């Protein structure tokens, strides 16, 4: 055995922690200290060392005279138990050398009423904190929508996908832990009513719960950092000088206007969703092109539907007033939407797994213009 171990146990698993410490004691290891789940041990020659772990009692009224906790600790020491460490959840007692003390709690009903009943109820409410927070966020987004929420943008960043996975895993974990606490509390209550010893959780399950509780928050923070660093984990280019020959984005010159090297290019994404956007300029108007390449056709359908709704939303970022795109079949495209203001048009269409939006002072019903658009989006990156 190593002189250290990760012993991060939750409140319901106090007796599982006690069993783990007693296994160490039987192998000749005495606890030095326990902090943040990390325990350090020292070698000992004692063969009578035993441990007892109790839940830390709730804080008493500070105005109450005396120190009932100290009185209790004195009684424990007189009975052969000395306090060796205390965490935010547990008190850890060790048997004094040369003694064979009795268990500190001999009445399961009293132990349940004084310690476990309240602790398990509070633990259940704490387990609901994260799910309730996520539910409140979703409810607020539904009640007070702002712009169009593109849920599929999570596929543009590896960090965002990891964050989404961890959020889902944390949600499942907390709900599962809530259910476990309810079942464990009922088992404890039945044991207290019948005078039996309170149940001891299975060692492997207790270790797993402690490990999950100790890791999920740091992992969420790490994933959040990755999600706000768009250049980390995915291919991203943002340029003000437009190297447009290399990308399937429609430029002003593709539509018959004079070539210009000024403009803006954005190219980002992952193998699941690739996004490109460009701005190029004519003498008096701008040509804007947006391109999405999706891993799955259902994802392309979702992207196209969101972009159609976004054009109508006055809170979304546009380079024009909100417009209503109308479905059209006159261009020979199965999934196609068009807006015509007379001297300016907006075209949105989907070809299998590719979604394209082009806006500019042109007529997309002109076969030559449409052919130029389709030729450009076939450009290999």
């Amino acid at each position: 055995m190593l002189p250290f171990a990760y012993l991060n146990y939750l409140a319901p698993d106090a007796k599982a922690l006690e069993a783990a410490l007693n296994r160490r004691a039987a192998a000749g290891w005495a606890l030095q200290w326990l902090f943040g789940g990390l325990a350090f041990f020292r070698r000992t020659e004692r063969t009578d060392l035993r441990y007892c772990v109790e839940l830390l009692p709730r804080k008493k009224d500070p105005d109450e005279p005396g120190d009932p906790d100290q009185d209790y600790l004195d009684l424990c020491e007189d009975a052969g138990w000395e306090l060796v460490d205390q965490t935010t959840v547990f008190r850890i007692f060790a048997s004094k050398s040369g003694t064979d003390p009795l268990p500190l709690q001999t009445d399961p009903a009293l132990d349940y009423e004084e310690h476990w009943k309240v602790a398990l109820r509070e633990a259940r409410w704490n387990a609901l904190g994260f799910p309730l927070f996520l539910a409140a966020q979703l409810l607020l987004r539904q009640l007070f929508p702002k712009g169009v929420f593109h849920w599929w943008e999570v596929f543009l960043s590896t960090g965002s996908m990891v964050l989404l996975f961890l959020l889902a895993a944390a949600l499942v974990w907390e709900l599962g832990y809530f259910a476990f606490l309810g079942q464990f509390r009922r088992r404890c209550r039945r044991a207290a009513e019948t005078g039996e010893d309170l149940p001891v959780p299975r060692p492997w399950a207790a270790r797993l719960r402690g490990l999950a509780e100790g890791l999920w928050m740091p992992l969420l923070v790490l994933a959040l950092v990755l999600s706000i660093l768009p250049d980390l984990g995915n291919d991203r280019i943002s340029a003000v000088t437009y190297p447009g020959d290399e990308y399937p984005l429609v430029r002003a010159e593709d539509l018959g206007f004079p070539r210009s090297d000024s403009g803006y290019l954005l190219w980002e994404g992952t193998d699941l969703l690739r996004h490109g956007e460009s701005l190029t300029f004519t003498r008096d108007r701008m040509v804007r092109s947006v391109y999405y390449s999706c891993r799955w056709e259902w994802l392309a359908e979702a992207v196209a539907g969101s972009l159609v709704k976004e054009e109508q939303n006055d809170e979304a970022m546009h380079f024009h007033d909100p417009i209503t795109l109308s479905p059209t079949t006159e261009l020979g495209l199965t999934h196609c939407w068009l807006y015509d203001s007379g001297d300016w048009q907006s075209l949105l269409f989907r070809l299998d797994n590719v979604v394209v939006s082009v806006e500019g002072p042109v007529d997309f019903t002109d076969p030559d213009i449409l052919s130029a658009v389709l030729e450009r989006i076939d450009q290999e990156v």
Side-chain angles (χ1 to χ4, degrees), residues 36-263:
L38 188 61
F40 271 81
F41 297 84
R42 58 178 174 79
R43 294 294 300 179
T44 179
E45 300 298 327
R46 289 183 56 185
T47 58
D48 61 345
L49 178 62
R50 287 191 291 130
Y51 287 96
C52 179
V53 178
E54 289 188 339
L55 290 176
L56 189 68
R58 295 169 59 84
K59 289 184 178 180
K60 307 296 183 180
D61 185 355
D63 297 330
E64 185 178 343
D67 188 350
D69 280 352
Q70 187 58 50
D71 293 341
Y72 176 74
L73 296 179
D74 291 341
L75 287 175
C76 292
E77 188 153 356
D78 292 340
W81 294 102
E82 57 182 351
L83 183 68
V84 295
D85 206 343
Q86 180 172 297
T87 69
T88 57
V89 181
F90 304 120
R91 276 177 175 165
I92 303 175
F93 295 90
S95 61
K96 298 172 71 172
S97 180
T99 65
D100 184 20
L102 295 174
L104 289 176
Q105 301 296 334
T106 58
D107 187 343
L110 182 62
D111 189 19
Y112 174 74
E113 289 295 329
E114 288 192 350
H115 301 102
W116 291 93
K117 184 177 180 179
V118 175
L120 292 175
R121 182 171 64 241
E122 290 182 348
R124 290 196 82 198
W125 281 111
N126 291 337
L128 280 182
F130 183 67
L132 289 176
F133 171 77
L134 290 183
Q137 293 296 314
L138 293 175
L139 180 61
L140 288 174
R141 185 174 291 278
Q142 291 295 322
L143 294 177
F144 305 101
K146 186 174 182 181
V148 177
F149 175 56
H150 296 320
W151 60 266
W152 38 263
E153 286 185 341
V154 67
F155 294 113
L156 289 173
S157 166
T158 302
S160 295
M161 287 188 284
V162 172
L163 177 61
L164 180 63
F165 172 79
L166 289 177
L167 284 173
L171 179 62
V172 171
W173 150 251
E174 291 292 347
L175 291 176
Y177 185 48
F178 175 80
F180 160 76
L181 288 171
Q183 180 190 39
F184 187 72
R185 190 166 183 260
R186 288 190 294 271
R187 291 175 58 198
C188 289
R189 184 175 64 246
R190 287 195 298 267
E193 291 172 350
T194 58
E196 300 176 359
D197 291 338
L198 297 182
V200 178
R202 288 187 287 270
W204 66 267
R207 287 195 298 269
L208 182 62
R209 283 189 290 271
L211 181 64
E213 188 70 18
L215 289 180
W216 76 268
M217 183 57 72
L219 289 177
L220 280 180
V221 172
L222 177 61
L224 181 61
V225 171
L226 291 177
S227 69
I228 60 178
L229 296 175
D231 293 329
L232 187 61
N234 65 327
D235 176 22
R236 191 172 196 273
I237 298 173
S238 182
V240 293
T241 301
Y242 187 75
D245 292 337
E246 303 174 11
Y247 298 91
L249 294 162
V250 179
R251 306 161 297 173
E253 63 188 86
D254 297 319
L255 304 179
F257 297 103
R259 178 183 176 89
S260 173
D261 289 331
S262 64

